[in-house]
């Protein structure tokens, strides 16, 4: 019996496409460990207080990139097929980097989020803890790449964006939960456990990137043949 994946034009299909891709790049489990280390000098209550704020900021950044990113690029004359190819390549390249060296990705995010030790934790909620640490350029580019998978026209556009938006909401909820419980995540998984999970999810993200490229190439070839 041949397995047939759900089309992304359906609510469930869009969710199943967007959730693993966003989870892989945001990696709320691994990010919670770094979040804990960055605020190690602050009491646990401070981390719990910041978690919902960061999650809310991350939700709006990812949702805005998902809903508007593809249309902004189309406004500049980038075709949907070209957007899919470029977005899929970005996703696959980032997945390869995560797969080969997740520790380097963690260190880079931590360096980007470095700030003076005397800074108030509340002042760090958006920058650098949300942007670029939780939802940096990589997460934004993945969200834009996902938006390129939207159906070209018809009523299926709405179920696609509803399913993808639900995936964004679930990711934001996971950021809230894991950041709030970063003490428990650190004691349960540890750094090595988080990196194993990162590699597994990175491989899945690479597969998603290749699939997006394939759909873009198919669209471009179809357009080329239609003009001949």
């Amino acid at each position: 019996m041949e397995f047939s994946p759900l089309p992304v034009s359906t609510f469930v299909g869009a969710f199943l496409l967007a959730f693993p891709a966003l989870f892989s790049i945001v990696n709320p489990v691994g990010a919670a460990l770094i979040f804990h280390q960055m605020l190690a000098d602050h009491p646990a209550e401070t981390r719990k207080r910041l978690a919902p704020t960061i999650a809310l900021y991350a939700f709006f950044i990812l949702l805005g990139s998902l809903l508007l990113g593809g249309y902004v690029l189309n406004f500049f004359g980038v075709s949907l097929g070209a957007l899919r190819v470029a977005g899929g390549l970005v996703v696959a390249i980032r997945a390869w980097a995560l797969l080969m060296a997740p520790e380097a990705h963690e260190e880079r995010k931590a360096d980007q989020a470095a700030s003076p030790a005397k800074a108030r934790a509340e002042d760090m909620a958006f920058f650098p803890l949300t942007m670029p640490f939780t939802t940096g350029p990589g997460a934004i580019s993945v969200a834009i790449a996902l938006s390129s998978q939207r159906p070209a026209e018809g009523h299926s556009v709405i179920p696609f964006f509803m399913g993808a938006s639900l995936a964004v909401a679930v990711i934001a909820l996971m950021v809230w939960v894991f950041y709030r419980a970063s003490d428990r995540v650190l004691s349960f998984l540890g750094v090595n456990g988080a990196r194993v999970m990162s590699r597994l999810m990175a491989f899945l993200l690479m597969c998603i990137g290749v699939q997006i490229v394939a759909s873009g190439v198919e669209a471009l070839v179809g357009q080329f043949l239609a003009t001949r």
Side-chain angles (χ1 to χ4, degrees):
M1 181 177 179
E2 185 178 354
F3 174 74
S4 178
L6 291 172
V8 297
S9 57
T10 64
F11 175 84
V12 177
F15 176 83
L16 294 178
L17 172 71
F19 176 74
L22 292 174
F23 181 86
S24 302
I25 195 68
V26 175
N27 189 13
V29 179
L33 302 180
I34 306 176
F35 171 76
H36 182 276
Q37 295 170 5
M38 291 173 59
L39 296 178
D41 296 335
H42 297 270
E45 288 301 320
T46 300
R47 293 191 290 272
K48 293 179 180 180
R49 188 171 65 251
L50 286 179
T53 303
I54 296 172
L56 185 63
Y57 287 153
F59 171 75
F60 284 117
I61 290 174
L62 291 177
L63 187 64
S65 301
L66 176 70
L67 297 181
L68 302 177
Y71 290 106
V72 170
L73 291 179
N74 285 344
F75 175 78
F76 290 100
V78 180
S79 68
L80 192 59
L83 179 59
R84 287 175 178 174
V85 172
L89 287 174
V90 170
V91 171
I93 291 171
R94 290 191 176 276
W96 177 261
L98 286 171
L99 185 63
M100 291 297 102
E103 58 277 1
H105 178 73
E106 295 168 5
E107 292 171 359
R108 183 168 60 252
K109 291 181 73 173
D111 291 341
Q112 290 175 336
S115 60
K118 296 182 179 180
R120 294 176 61 249
E122 287 75 9
D123 296 336
M124 299 165 58
F126 181 77
F127 179 84
L129 291 178
T130 302
M131 180 76 182
F133 173 63
T134 304
T135 52
I140 292 173
S141 63
V142 168
I144 294 176
L146 288 172
S147 73
S148 72
Q149 291 296 98
R150 70 185 187 277
E153 56 185 10
H155 298 293
S156 55
V157 174
I158 295 178
F160 170 81
F161 278 119
M162 288 180 63
S165 298
L166 177 62
V168 169
V170 173
I171 292 297
L173 180 62
M174 294 182 71
V175 169
W176 181 0
V177 170
F178 284 110
Y179 279 25
R180 181 179 175 84
S182 58
D183 296 349
R184 299 178 183 177
V185 174
L186 180 62
S187 61
F188 179 74
L189 277 182
V191 176
N192 291 331
R195 286 175 180 170
V196 169
M197 178 176 291
S198 296
R199 279 193 164 93
L200 292 175
M201 297 306 298
F203 179 74
L204 180 59
L205 181 63
M206 179 177 293
C207 295
I208 292 173
V210 172
Q211 181 61 48
I212 294 175
V213 171
S215 64
V217 171
E218 182 180 0
L220 291 175
V221 171
Q223 292 175 1
F224 175 78
L225 295 177
T227 59
R228 289 295 181 269

